[in-house]
Amino acid sequence: MSKILLEINSKEKEIEIKGKSIRVDKLMELINIYPETAVAVKDGELLCDDDKIKDGERIKIVVATSKG
């Protein structure tokens, strides 16, 4: 099992994944966030849905909100 460190809405969370990496879109599904409503950021750069996140990496998830 591998671990990824997440920051979601200023809260840190560590999750375990099977294998050594996971695609961004699969990670979003795993943490119950619709990929269309959030973006993943690593080292200040936006990640695409098909980018892979590897064991031990730190990812920030930014969820879009709408006030209307």
Side-chain angles (χ1 to χ4, degrees):
M1 288 279 196
S2 300
K3 293 183 181 181
I4 294 174
L5 302 171
L6 296 179
E7 180 186 332
I8 305 170
N9 297 330
S10 300
K11 294 180 183 175
E12 292 188 6
K13 180 179 184 178
E14 184 177 271
I15 63 162
E16 289 188 357
I17 59 169
K18 296 177 183 176
K20 296 184 186 253
S21 66
I22 188 170
R23 285 174 40 133
V24 170
D25 56 351
K26 299 298 180 189
L27 172 67
M28 295 291 192
E29 288 177 19
L30 183 66
I31 59 175
N32 296 317
I33 293 178
Y34 291 107
E36 298 83 16
T37 64
V39 294
V41 179
K42 179 176 79 172
D43 299 328
E45 293 189 26
L46 290 176
L47 299 175
C48 297
D49 286 343
D50 60 351
D51 285 336
K52 291 198 176 193
I53 302 166
K54 297 176 184 148
D55 180 33
E57 290 187 318
R58 181 184 191 91
I59 304 298
K60 182 175 184 177
I61 305 294
V62 181
V63 180
T65 58
S66 175
K67 295 180 181 179

